[in-house]
Amino acid sequence: MKRRSFIAGTAAVGGAGCGRGEGPAPGYRVLTENEIRTLDAWCEALIPADDAPGASWAKVPRYIDIQLTRKFRRLLPRYREALAAMERWLAAAGVEGMAARLELMEQGKAPRELFADGGKDAFEMVLAHTLQGFYGSPRHGGNRDYVSWVLLGVAPVPVRGREQAETGKN
Amino acid sequence: MVVAGLVVLVGVLLAPAGSLLYESGGPEACANCHEMGRQVELWSGSAHQEVKCGACHGDALTMDARVHWTNARRVAEHWMGRIGEEPRLGEGQVLEMMSRCEGCHEQEFAAWQAGPHAATYERLFLDEKHNHTRHLMNDCLRCHGAHAEGAIGDVVAPLDTKGPWRLVREELRGQPAIPCMQCHAVHREGQVLGRKRLEAKMAGRQQETHRPGLGFYDRRSRAGVRAGLLRVPKMEDNGRVLRMSADGRQAVCYQCHAPLAGRQAGSGDDRTPKGVHEGLSCLACHEQHRGTTRASCATCHPRLSNCGRDVETMDTTFANAKSGHNVHWVACADCHAKGVPRRR
């Protein structure tokens, strides 16, 4: 087989193997394109950009997506459910905007046909993870470029000499 | 038997195919796979966006069994619907890239190799004098050997002050402990979108513009932290706050050539200039890779001289390493103990 056709072949297989459509959005682990879009708007409404970047720029959805394959693995069904409910709600008329909807959820006043408890549970879950993703270490996938630490004045890596090496304490 | 043979055959075919998937087409092929999303995204906003993945990471024809194995495994995981961990490179794979950096950056490589930062694992971890007086610990790897796998005990043994010491993995002996990637993050976070906004946020810290990839490899997070996010500490000299250069690049130097907790100039490994050179950046005198200072004096002297003498022959550590006048902190009064004379 000629190298070119071999490469073309594997690339085609690769495309199929990596999965589109129902599979994860490009660059993500589990959540689909639709789910990421909704989650992104959700997180951004919780920590919106002003003169500083917000949750979306900080890649909070990426943090949640990665953790849904690890620490939060058990929560995947709850996320899927919440995101689907939110998608349906967004498509329906009535309330304007994401922020207004989240306010209702916080008070447990979202439509019961979408969220059994009026949305309180989903609201708290996404809020907790959005804060973690925004303020945690970038190594977990969020807090892109240490954006929140810069805002807080925390040095990503402090300047620290080798004093411990001299005393032998560690 | 037949089944086993088939498995082996498929394995053999799959191995290079897995690699080709990543490396043949460059980014398009790599971007297909979600585990690499972050790396591809970072790369696409980096100075190397015109350079294909394989130019640094090697190509499928490299007979590196380990690359093929991990790639094949990852492809297999795709087919089985499993989600791989975010791929990480091993120390060998990182150090192996050095020769590829050299291929395109010959001058910088040669300068680095001739300078102090090409120090090897052998030089830094088997130093008798050092190891007799200071305890070996994980923290050593923060400033040199940052790409090493495992803990300090996986690099050097025994971990006592008696010795004799040996490298746990002999193959590290001649390897550089401060490779290019220590100071240059090739995949770098956040450069395209956020740069302007972020830097506008960093009040009071003027930055001289620097090359985008400059940074410090943070072993804990296993990622390069760009220079703009590193700090040049506020240094003091017996209670007096020193004037510091606004050159943000030297923040990289301060990560390793760092003061002790009191932030006193000259404490620990610090070299913050005070005296006649207060306020100068390390890089005003030290060439960035070779570390040399020979050519630097002429950029300011004799234009800025007080004594009417050739500063290069005056009694400082520049002219003579044993001089009592360290060039980083020599002051007028050190040489003019009886007061600075009048200019004639």
Side-chain angles (χ1 to χ4, degrees):
Chain A
M1 184 160 39
K2 280 205 228 101
R3 187 155 175 255
R4 280 185 74 121
S5 55
F6 182 48
I7 291 170
T10 50
V13 167
C18 289
R20 284 286 141 83
E22 290 303 290
Y28 290 85
R29 304 280 181 89
V30 277
L31 298 179
T32 64
E33 262 182 275
N34 277 340
E35 288 170 332
I36 286 292
R37 199 178 315 116
T38 308
L39 182 60
D40 195 70
W42 190 327
C43 299
E44 180 68 11
L46 291 170
I47 306 181
D50 39 40
D51 50 340
S56 173
W57 190 89
K59 295 276 175 194
V60 169
R62 178 174 68 192
Y63 165 79
I64 294 175
D65 178 70
I66 290 174
Q67 298 312 322
L68 284 173
T69 67
R70 297 186 181 169
K71 249 188 354 197
F72 310 159
R73 197 177 291 133
R74 283 181 306 108
L75 298 178
L76 184 55
R78 275 175 66 195
Y79 258 93
R80 291 232 131 109
E81 209 178 299
L83 291 170
M86 181 60 92
E87 267 172 52
R88 265 180 282 138
W89 196 11
L90 288 170
V95 192
E96 279 298 314
M98 181 65 85
R101 287 181 168 84
L102 292 179
E103 253 169 57
L104 290 174
M105 287 173 75
E106 187 177 14
Q107 298 156 23
K109 291 182 186 156
R112 299 271 160 175
E113 64 274 21
L114 291 172
F115 301 94
D117 68 341
K120 225 171 153 40
D121 216 42
F123 176 84
E124 300 293 344
M125 173 174 79
V126 179
L127 177 64
H129 296 160
T130 300
L131 292 175
Q132 286 171 16
F134 194 72
Y135 291 105
S137 165
R139 101 186 110 188
H140 304 304
N143 195 4
R144 173 179 179 186
D145 213 20
Y146 297 89
V147 55
S148 67
W149 295 15
V150 170
L151 294 173
L152 293 172
V154 176
V157 273
V159 171
R160 192 158 59 84
R162 44 171 167 164
E163 49 209 315
Q164 292 170 311
E166 277 165 313
T167 60
K169 276 180 271 166
N170 195 9
Chain B
M1 196 53 215
V2 175
V3 174
L6 254 178
V7 167
V8 170
L9 187 65
V10 168
V12 166
L13 286 176
L14 197 58
S19 292
L20 279 170
L21 224 172
Y22 282 137
E23 286 138 14
S24 63
E28 309 81 43
C30 306
N32 266 337
C33 291
H34 41 84
E35 292 92 348
M36 285 214 184
R38 177 140 57 148
Q39 251 59 43
V40 176
E41 178 194 316
L42 294 172
W43 163 87
S44 64
S46 80
H48 286 102
Q49 54 190 268
E50 306 286 323
V51 180
K52 288 205 168 157
C53 318
C56 293
H57 289 291
D59 54 51
L61 305 172
T62 308
M63 290 317 285
D64 181 339
R66 194 159 151 195
V67 171
H68 285 162
W69 165 241
T70 40
N71 288 359
R73 200 179 48 197
R74 212 161 281 136
V75 170
E77 281 171 0
H78 272 295
W79 285 341
M80 297 182 322
R82 281 183 31 213
I83 294 133
E85 286 284 290
E86 188 154 289
R88 293 282 185 198
L89 299 179
E91 72 192 7
Q93 291 169 310
V94 171
L95 296 173
E96 190 198 276
M97 267 188 269
M98 293 292 289
S99 63
R100 305 214 180 85
C101 311
E102 181 183 14
C104 294
H105 301 289
E106 215 178 311
Q107 276 189 336
E108 285 83 4
F109 189 94
W112 163 84
Q113 198 156 44
H117 299 132
T120 59
Y121 279 81
E122 176 185 23
R123 154 83 181 115
L124 292 169
F125 294 100
L126 299 183
D127 186 287
E128 295 271 333
K129 188 162 164 262
H130 180 287
N131 292 358
H132 276 303
T133 51
R134 292 176 166 189
H135 291 275
L136 290 163
M137 60 180 77
N138 287 336
D139 194 45
C140 307
L141 302 174
R142 177 161 57 94
C143 302
H144 22 59
H147 290 85
E149 280 162 25
I152 187 74
D154 299 304
V155 173
V156 55
L159 297 181
D160 61 23
T161 49
K162 296 195 186 71
W165 297 275
R166 62 183 169 81
L167 291 171
V168 175
R169 276 163 292 152
E170 191 52 31
E171 67 267 24
L172 285 178
R173 180 175 288 273
Q175 291 286 2
I178 309 177
C180 315
M181 301 78 171
Q182 182 62 56
C183 304
H184 297 292
V186 169
H187 294 271
R188 203 179 62 53
E189 187 79 275
Q191 123 113 55
V192 216
L193 267 167
R195 194 147 163 248
K196 253 168 126 186
R197 285 160 101 189
L198 270 175
E199 283 170 4
K201 269 273 153 201
M202 300 203 296
R205 185 137 38 101
Q206 294 158 284
Q207 303 178 75
E208 191 167 286
T209 41
H210 44 71
R211 306 303 299 230
L214 188 66
F216 183 76
Y217 181 80
D218 177 26
R219 181 178 167 84
R220 287 171 316 165
S221 55
R222 297 192 64 171
V225 177
R226 66 184 171 87
L229 293 175
L230 300 173
R231 291 198 174 161
V232 176
K234 290 192 183 71
M235 298 295 299
E236 287 185 18
D237 181 27
N238 291 319
R240 188 174 69 89
V241 176
L242 290 170
R243 195 154 35 88
M244 303 293 291
S245 160
D247 181 359
R249 299 175 304 170
Q250 64 171 345
V252 173
C253 317
Y254 274 96
Q255 281 295 320
C256 298
H257 296 273
L260 301 185
R263 296 279 155 92
Q264 286 295 311
S267 66
D269 293 313
D270 179 71
R271 295 289 191 296
T272 303
K274 57 188 190 188
V276 298
H277 291 127
E278 181 174 333
L280 295 193
S281 161
C282 313
L283 291 156
C285 298
H286 291 282
E287 198 274 329
Q288 60 209 32
H289 293 123
R290 211 177 290 266
T292 49
T293 58
R294 291 292 125 186
S296 73
C297 315
T299 54
C300 300
H301 299 291
R303 193 167 43 88
L304 289 170
S305 301
N306 295 283
C307 311
R309 310 204 135 208
D310 176 4
V311 296
E312 299 192 21
T313 59
M314 289 173 78
D315 180 18
T316 71
T317 48
F318 177 83
N320 174 8
K322 296 210 174 71
S323 165
H325 300 140
N326 188 312
V327 69
H328 298 106
W329 34 75
V330 67
C332 310
D334 295 337
C335 298
H336 298 290
K338 294 187 198 126
V340 179
R342 287 214 178 169
R343 207 183 275 257
R344 263 177 270 159

